[in-house]
């Protein structure tokens, strides 16, 4: 495995890089600076050490970004789009290697790692088209011989703080849109997956260099301390943060204090309602993948199944049987369904959640636990588990980033929707039903209160064409498709007077 990953790193061009930061074509950091080690949760082996950026490195990056912004925002949007198109082409070339690195450094299955890179390619394609559609509105003026319209301008430097569970895709959601909108980007990735970030930055840096672009259009900063610097920096008008609700509150407060803008993608506590009119076989697939995909470490992972009482026992039995067929192990082995958690701290949180659930009265129909043995020597492998609970249990109201699925019984659809909505988070939701009335009620204003509401598909897995994000403690942010691009720009209303006189609005008279 180690020889294989070294080959992957070499193919990605990062085997000998040990940067604290990158401003594009330049990689830097002090040779004696503090380092962080990246360990794979797959086998517990150290992949590499990466230097950590200090405040001096941070200032180097910001200075380059400020200079690059002056050049980049003045390029025609389709020209900016062409650079992003080339990034998408480069990602196509490196899809297998980058997907493998994502799988090995983060622990998700190889299929999911490859899917994450495909998501990057898709957002680049979306952004290329968007670069010719940064449209504004035209309005009729109340004053004769006047024209009113609005246009959108880039905000400036966009700070991107991403999480370990999607170490490359979330950066691309932000970067592709921010770049075509005329912004420059400064990226602080998770310190748990720094090599994935280095690989992405290296791929984009080559594209920028081939096009003779200046330093600083896209920059990378390694190390947790740089997050606070970004959040409190008035030179960065927008911070896009993906992570826990707890940290998101701090980010939001820091950015708002300086009147900056933030895009927050925080916790999820997602439910699927299983109707008595559901296709149960299809529902099982959606529920199991939603609960165990990425080992339950997606913000859109399915945490709760709200099941109609008439089919509760039969569906539970189907679910238990399906869980018995799951294969847990090396995520690079495509025969396995479930890989490891990101690290041993995550395993501890998983075990604590199980203990707390049992204390509150949860009855586990599929028992959990930590896996041991040669195949699981990293200490990061756990058993996906299923528990019968009441929705009001404290542990059920929380988001646990692990493959723990809670079963809840309901009588009426109104009750099911109320159960689904009665958690602090509001990211993703779904209903499995062949009943049109149920589906429409679920999607109505009296239905799901989440930013994402699906019918006959699960809670996890989002296409880039739609805006991604949620309500309540999920933060209210929107990224990716639809008109999410507007979050990276500032709106300006313009009025042009082509008359020989100066009439005032509202009929006001002011004669000299």
């Amino acid at each position: 495995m180690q020889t294989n990953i070294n080959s992957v790193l070499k193919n990605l061009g990062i085997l000998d890089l040990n940067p604290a930061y990158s401003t594009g074509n330049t990689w830097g950091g002090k040779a004696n600076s503090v380092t962080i080690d990246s360990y794979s949760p797959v086998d517990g082996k150290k992949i590499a050490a990466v230097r950590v950026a200090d405040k001096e490195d941070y200032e180097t990056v910001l200075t380059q970004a400020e200079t690059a912004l002056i050049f980049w925002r003045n390029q025609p949007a389709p020209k900016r789009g062409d650079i992003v198109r080339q990034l998408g082409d480069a990602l196509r070339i490196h899809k297998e290697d980058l997907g493998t690195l994502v799988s090995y450094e983060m622990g998700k299955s190889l299929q999911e790692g490859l899917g994450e890179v495909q998501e990057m390619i898709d957002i680049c394609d979306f952004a290329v088209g968007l670069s010719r559609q940064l449209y504004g509105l035209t309005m009729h003026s109340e004053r004769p011989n006047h024209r009113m319209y609005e246009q959108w301008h880039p905000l400036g430097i966009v700070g991107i703080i991403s999480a370990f569970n999607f170490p490359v895709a979330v950066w691309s959601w932000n970067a592709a849109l921010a770049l075509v909108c005329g912004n420059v980007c400064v990226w602080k990735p998770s310190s748990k997956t720094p090599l994935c970030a280095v690989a992405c930055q290296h791929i984009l840096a080559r594209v920028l260099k081939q096009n003779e672009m200046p330093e600083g259009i896209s920059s990378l900063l390694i190390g947790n301390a740089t997050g606070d610097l970004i959040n409190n920096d008035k030179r960065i008008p927008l911070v896009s943060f993906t992570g826990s609700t707890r940290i998101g509150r701090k980010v939001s407060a820091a950015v708002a204090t300086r009147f900056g803008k933030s895009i927050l993608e925080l916790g999820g506590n997602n439910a699927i309602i299983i109707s008595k009119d559901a296709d149960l076989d299809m529902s099982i697939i959606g529920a199991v993948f939603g609960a165990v995909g990425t080992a339950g470490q997606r913000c859109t992972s399915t945490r709760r199944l709200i099941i109609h009482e008439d089919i509760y026992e039969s569906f539970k039995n189907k679910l238990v049987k399906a869980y018995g067929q799951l294969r847990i192990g090396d995520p690079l082995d495509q025969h396995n369904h479930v890989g490891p958690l990101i690290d041993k701290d995550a395993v501890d949180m998983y075990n604590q959640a199980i203990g707390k659930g049992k204390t509150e009265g949860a009855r586990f129909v599929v028992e959990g636990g930590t896996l041991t043995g040669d195949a699981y020597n990293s200490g990061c492998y756990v058993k996906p588990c299923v528990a019968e609970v009441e929705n009001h249990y404290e542990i059920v109201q929380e988001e646990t980033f692990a493959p723990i699925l809670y079963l809840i019984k309901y009588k009426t659809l109104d009750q099911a929707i109320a159960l689904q909505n009665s958690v602090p988070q509001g990211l993703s939701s779904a209903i499995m039903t062949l009943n049109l009335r149920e589906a429409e009620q679920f999607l109505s204003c009296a239905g799901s209160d989440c930013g994402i509401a699906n019918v006959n598909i699960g809670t996890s897995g989002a296409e880039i064409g739609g805006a991604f994000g949620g309500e309540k403690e999920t933060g209210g942010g929107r990224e990716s498709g639809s008109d999410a691009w507007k979050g990276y720009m500032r709106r300006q209303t313009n009025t042009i007077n082509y008359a020989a006189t100066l009439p005032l609005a509202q009929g006001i008279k002011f004669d000299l």
Side-chain angles (χ1 to χ4, degrees):
M1 179 61 67
Q2 192 66 34
T3 301
N4 181 52
I5 204 64
N6 283 343
S7 176
V8 167
L9 295 174
K10 184 177 180 180
N11 292 342
L12 291 168
I14 64 172
L15 187 61
D16 299 320
L17 286 177
N18 190 17
Y21 70 85
S22 166
T23 57
N25 306 331
T26 299
W27 300 80
K30 302 176 183 64
N32 61 348
S33 66
V34 175
T35 61
I36 54 174
D37 295 330
S38 176
Y39 287 92
S40 171
V42 175
D43 54 20
K45 293 181 179 179
K46 177 180 172 180
I47 309 173
V50 184
R51 293 199 297 270
V52 172
D54 60 17
K55 193 167 184 179
E56 183 180 339
D57 297 327
Y58 177 84
E59 287 300 325
T60 298
V61 166
L62 264 290
T63 298
Q64 291 278 15
E66 286 182 303
T67 301
L69 175 63
I70 297 171
F71 168 85
W72 185 248
R73 69 188 179 192
N74 286 315
Q75 299 304 299
K79 172 63 176 176
R80 301 192 298 254
D82 187 60
I83 299 296
V84 174
R85 177 192 63 78
Q86 293 177 53
L87 171 61
D89 290 344
L91 289 169
R92 286 179 171 88
I93 294 171
H94 293 289
K95 178 179 177 179
E96 184 173 348
D97 286 318
L98 185 55
T100 300
L101 178 58
V102 168
S103 179
Y104 187 63
E105 188 176 33
M106 185 269 149
K108 64 176 59 178
S109 73
L110 179 58
Q111 281 298 310
E112 291 181 83
L114 294 171
E116 187 170 344
V117 181
Q118 184 61 49
E119 200 165 357
M120 302 174 76
I121 295 167
D122 292 344
I123 195 65
C124 286
D125 288 350
F126 179 89
V128 173
L130 177 65
S131 69
R132 294 181 182 271
Q133 300 181 72
L134 299 175
Y135 54 83
L137 299 175
T138 299
M139 291 77 75
H140 289 280
S141 174
E142 67 184 54
R143 291 166 284 183
N145 298 322
H146 282 60
R147 180 165 68 90
M148 291 179 62
Y149 69 98
E150 67 179 23
Q151 59 180 332
W152 295 83
H153 295 301
L155 283 170
I157 302 173
V158 172
I160 304 168
I161 303 176
S162 61
F164 74 85
N165 60 331
F166 280 86
V168 296
V170 172
W171 166 73
S172 71
W173 287 3
N174 286 276
L177 297 192
L179 289 174
V180 299
C181 289
N183 304 287
V184 299
C185 300
V186 175
W187 180 21
K188 190 214 83 68
S190 169
S191 293
K192 296 181 179 182
T193 51
L195 295 175
C196 289
V198 171
C200 291
Q201 178 69 7
H202 196 65
I203 292 168
L204 178 53
R206 286 201 297 267
V207 171
L208 295 172
K209 185 176 182 180
Q210 289 164 3
N211 286 271
E212 299 181 343
M213 293 287 131
E215 299 283 349
I217 291 174
S218 176
S219 303
L220 175 69
L221 286 161
I222 302 294
N224 287 334
T226 57
D228 285 339
L229 295 174
I230 290 172
N231 295 332
N232 292 286
D233 196 330
K234 291 183 178 180
R235 295 171 292 182
I236 301 178
L238 173 65
V239 176
S240 176
F241 173 81
T242 303
S244 70
T245 297
R246 180 179 63 86
I247 301 300
R249 283 194 177 95
K250 297 179 181 179
V251 173
S252 178
V255 176
T257 296
R258 59 179 178 81
F259 294 103
K261 299 180 179 180
S262 57
I263 297 173
L264 301 174
E265 299 290 357
L266 311 178
N269 193 349
N270 316 295
I272 301 177
I273 296 172
I274 310 293
S275 165
K276 62 183 175 63
D277 294 324
D279 180 325
L280 298 187
D281 290 336
M282 184 171 66
S283 300
I284 285 289
I285 295 172
V288 175
F289 176 74
V292 307
T294 322
Q297 297 172 112
R298 294 181 178 221
C299 53
T300 55
S301 289
T302 305
R303 311 286 176 202
R304 298 173 295 145
L305 291 184
I306 303 170
I307 309 167
H308 193 277
E309 61 181 7
D310 288 357
I311 59 165
Y312 182 86
E313 290 298 328
S314 62
F315 192 82
K316 180 181 71 175
N317 292 335
K318 282 179 175 286
L319 192 68
V320 170
K321 183 178 179 181
Y323 267 63
Q325 298 172 351
L326 292 175
R327 292 185 295 273
I328 308 166
D330 183 346
L332 293 171
D333 181 347
Q334 298 195 52
H335 292 94
N336 292 326
H337 299 103
V338 185
L341 295 179
I342 185 64
D343 55 25
K344 292 180 181 178
D345 288 341
V347 174
D348 289 342
M349 287 188 287
Y350 159 86
N351 285 320
Q352 289 168 16
I354 291 175
K356 186 173 182 179
K358 289 181 177 179
T359 299
E360 290 189 87
R363 190 177 74 85
F364 281 80
V365 296
V366 177
E367 290 289 342
T370 305
L371 292 167
T372 58
D374 291 343
Y376 312 113
N377 58 9
S378 68
C380 297
Y381 291 87
V382 300
K383 299 176 185 177
C385 57
V386 181
E388 295 180 293
V389 300
E390 297 294 333
N391 200 64
H392 65 267
Y393 289 177
E394 187 176 329
I395 191 61
V396 178
Q397 293 285 308
E398 299 171 359
E399 178 191 40
T400 301
F401 237 46
I404 304 174
L405 181 63
Y406 300 117
L407 307 185
I408 302 160
K409 192 182 295 186
Y410 81 90
K411 291 180 180 291
T412 67
L413 183 58
D414 286 340
Q415 180 191 20
I417 291 172
L419 286 168
Q420 186 223 266
N421 292 346
S422 62
V423 293
Q425 308 84 0
L427 178 52
S428 188
S429 59
I431 186 171
M432 295 292 189
T433 184
L434 301 179
N435 184 314
L436 179 62
R437 290 178 177 174
E438 288 188 332
E440 291 295 339
Q441 182 178 341
F442 179 75
L443 299 177
S444 74
C445 61
S448 170
D449 66 359
C450 295
I452 299 169
N454 299 325
V455 176
N456 292 328
I457 60 173
T459 60
S460 64
E463 297 181 33
I464 59 89
F468 180 90
E471 303 301 321
K472 302 188 294 189
E473 289 191 2
T474 301
R478 292 298 186 274
E479 295 172 333
S480 191
S482 185
D483 64 349
W485 62 270
K486 293 180 179 179
Y488 304 88
M489 305 196 83
R490 59 182 176 88
R491 187 197 309 251
Q492 185 181 79
T493 300
N494 308 113
T495 305
I496 299 173
N497 175 13
Y498 56 94
T501 59
L502 185 62
L504 301 177
Q506 293 82 51
I508 294 173
K509 300 294 183 180
F510 186 78
D511 297 323
L512 295 177

